[in-house]
Amino acid sequence: KLVYYLVIVNLVFLFCTLPFANNTQTKLYQGLHRGLHIYRYDWIDEKCVLYIAEIDRKEVTLTFEVAVANDQVLGKESVRSLVKKRNQRGEGRVLVAVNGGFGVLGDIRGYGGVLENLHIRNYELITQPTDSASCFGVTHTGAFLIDDVKMQAQAELGNQTLSIDAINQRREGGHQLVFFTPRMGNMTHTSHRGFEIVVSNLNLPVTSNYQSSFKIQHFGKKGNNLIPPNGGVLSFRSAKKKRLFNQLTQGQNGKIRISLEPPKWENIKYAIGGRLRLIRNGQIHPEIIRFYSAEKTHIPGKRSPSFILSYEPRTALGFNKEKLFLIVVDGRQPNYSTGLSLYRLAEILIRFGVMEAINLDGGSSSTFIVDDQLVNYPSGHQERNVLNAIFITTDTKNDQKYN
């Protein structure tokens, strides 16, 4: 009788919590690792299913990391493939993984895989911030940062100082000067319409507090140049800077300086950027409120042309003083889960105690991996190849699965 009573008590604890009346909570992967809790929530109002990993920030054996597909900017890869590669390194194991930020999922002129926002891996600055308000970073001490982040970058050639607009991104979108590093891939994939300066002797990798001299190898209007393994390419969208280009000589020296602002971002170990800040200081971000307020009616589960208000699969990252939250919402499956609008997602996360949150890539990209297994049900009915990912890892000596 006592055993039967304890089973009933545990079932009640696992499947129902008072703060979320009419919704159910199921605890998954119990005992996977101390300080790590995995939940599935069935949200009745929207007929929506959420998967949430809660990570205790005080648990020093758990580490936040990010990964980039194919170990370079160009190309895509499934989250499970990224997890497998990370585990094969033998430096511990990935416990939880979700998909990362936005970028080029198609193959636009060979730029499939290019990220649209900040990505820093093990101090290497791979791409710069664009949606500056939706950047999350972790310092070498484990401190969390979420700020309006901007890049300051210049290239010095002769007596001219030129502003670098982007790192390892397309020249489109107002980017007049892009700096390509070997992390981009082998080639720049640019057209012949611009002008490129191929440089060597760089001090690599590029970081968020970077300064290096370089030497010009060659230059000209020819696009799609090879990126030297010890150098990079300064790629100009326009070839009209004739005064500068006429002064260039092979073997000429120059200098590159890069930093992130605010200054506390200059020693970031891992960082990732999304699109749109969901929560700031425990409140729904004003931009999302503005869109929500402008709409007269809101029908739970309804898709719409609005990126913010449409009910879609979602991926998000949030935190408070005690916990980090990784969230995946399934959607586009009416008999199972419709998804959430960004406004509704922010509302729910605030109920969980989230104080700061950013929106990551959603739709068919939304992926939730636990202990090497795909847990959620992607809307495309299979795991999609994505651009980057977020990991929660533990080292071998602290891995409870093997100890």
Side-chain angles (χ1 to χ4, degrees):
K1 289 184 178 179
L2 178 60
V3 172
Y4 177 78
Y5 172 77
L6 289 174
V7 169
I8 295 298
V9 170
N10 282 331
L11 286 174
V12 172
F13 173 75
L14 290 176
F15 291 96
C16 181
T17 61
L18 290 176
F20 309 108
N22 300 323
N23 304 302
T24 59
Q25 176 203 67
T26 308
K27 192 167 185 178
L28 310 174
Y29 294 89
Q30 296 185 71
L32 180 62
H33 196 285
R34 63 181 176 272
L36 174 62
H37 302 280
I38 312 296
Y39 299 100
R40 167 178 164 155
Y41 290 91
D42 288 75
W43 221 258
I44 303 303
D45 294 343
E46 285 89 0
K47 193 177 178 60
C48 181
V49 177
L50 302 83
Y51 296 92
I52 299 182
E54 295 184 8
I55 300 97
D56 184 351
R57 294 182 60 180
K58 293 181 181 178
E59 181 51 64
V60 296
T61 62
L62 295 174
T63 304
F64 178 95
E65 297 181 17
V66 297
V68 63
N70 299 321
D71 203 35
Q72 63 178 35
V73 171
L74 292 177
K76 295 163 287 184
E77 196 170 359
S78 72
V79 177
R80 266 191 294 186
S81 176
L82 285 164
V83 168
K84 182 179 179 180
K85 288 181 179 179
R86 171 63 178 82
N87 290 341
Q88 288 174 342
R89 283 163 41 188
E91 302 169 3
R93 187 167 66 96
V94 177
L95 301 174
V96 178
V98 300
N99 64 290
F102 294 81
V104 181
L105 286 169
D107 187 22
I108 302 176
R109 298 176 184 174
Y111 280 105
V114 170
L115 297 161
E116 288 184 353
N117 205 349
L118 179 66
H119 190 100
I120 298 176
R121 185 187 65 177
N122 201 22
Y123 300 103
E124 181 180 0
L125 178 61
I126 295 175
T127 50
Q128 88 291 344
T130 51
D131 185 342
S132 60
S134 61
C135 294
F136 170 81
V138 180
T139 69
H140 69 286
T141 63
F144 289 178
L145 298 181
I146 186 166
D147 295 288
D148 290 340
V149 186
K150 292 179 173 57
M151 179 181 75
Q152 299 293 330
Q154 299 84 31
E156 295 179 8
L157 285 165
N159 59 357
Q160 295 197 44
T161 301
L162 308 166
S163 292
I164 297 173
D165 301 309
I167 298 175
N168 294 328
Q169 293 195 356
R170 293 179 293 165
R171 289 192 306 211
E172 285 76 6
H175 296 151
Q176 299 300 318
L177 175 55
V178 177
F179 177 40
F180 291 108
T181 75
R183 190 62 66 189
M184 176 69 178
N186 293 328
M187 313 290 287
T188 63
H189 289 267
T190 51
S191 70
H192 64 280
R193 296 177 182 176
F195 191 96
E196 293 191 333
I197 304 173
V198 180
V199 304
S200 61
N201 295 14
L202 280 174
N203 180 24
L204 297 172
V206 173
T207 66
S208 58
N209 185 18
Y210 180 77
Q211 180 173 313
S212 176
S213 58
F214 62 77
K215 182 173 289 188
I216 295 178
Q217 281 192 349
H218 59 88
F219 51 89
K221 291 184 179 181
K222 175 181 174 293
N224 196 25
N225 277 284
L226 184 72
I227 303 172
N230 68 334
V233 176
L234 293 167
S235 182
F236 295 81
R237 187 177 183 182
S238 170
K240 294 181 179 179
K241 293 183 179 292
K242 293 182 179 180
R243 181 180 176 185
L244 168 66
F245 301 148
N246 290 337
Q247 294 176 356
L248 298 177
T249 58
Q250 189 174 0
Q252 180 180 342
N253 293 321
K255 187 174 290 186
I256 289 178
R257 291 188 175 91
I258 300 171
S259 63
L260 294 184
E261 295 181 350
K264 58 186 174 181
W265 279 78
E266 291 184 354
N267 290 298
I268 292 292
K269 187 171 184 179
Y270 294 104
I272 194 164
R275 184 183 295 169
L276 292 176
R277 181 84 160 262
L278 294 175
I279 301 170
R280 174 176 281 168
N281 297 325
Q283 303 292 323
I284 299 176
H285 194 274
E287 185 174 359
I288 293 177
I289 292 176
R290 180 170 60 84
F291 274 85
Y292 181 83
S293 300
E295 191 77 14
K296 293 181 179 179
T297 59
H298 300 276
I299 302 173
K302 182 182 178 181
R303 298 186 69 186
S304 77
S306 170
F307 173 74
I308 292 175
L309 301 179
S310 184
Y311 278 70
E312 305 287 351
R314 304 289 186 180
T315 302
L317 176 152
F319 66 94
N320 58 27
K321 289 182 179 179
E322 293 79 31
K323 298 177 181 179
L324 171 71
F325 299 82
L326 298 179
I327 307 101
V328 166
V329 181
D330 277 341
R332 299 177 186 169
Q333 302 170 75
N335 295 326
Y336 159 63
S337 180
T338 61
L340 290 173
S341 69
L342 292 185
Y343 182 90
R344 192 72 181 100
L345 175 58
E347 271 191 330
I348 292 172
L349 294 183
I350 288 173
R351 292 176 66 180
F352 282 106
V354 174
M355 295 297 292
E356 309 286 348
I358 62 172
N359 175 59
L360 297 168
D361 191 15
S364 298
S365 297
S366 288
T367 308
F368 193 83
I369 305 292
V370 181
D371 200 20
D372 302 329
Q373 297 177 333
L374 177 64
V375 177
N376 75 310
Y377 296 88
S379 62
H381 307 294
Q382 62 182 354
E383 193 179 346
R384 185 189 219 177
N385 288 339
V386 297
L387 315 179
N388 57 354
I390 295 170
F391 296 159
I392 301 300
T393 66
T394 187
D395 59 30
T396 304
K397 68 179 180 180
N398 291 306
D399 191 347
Q400 293 179 203
K401 185 172 182 177
Y402 300 108
N403 296 300

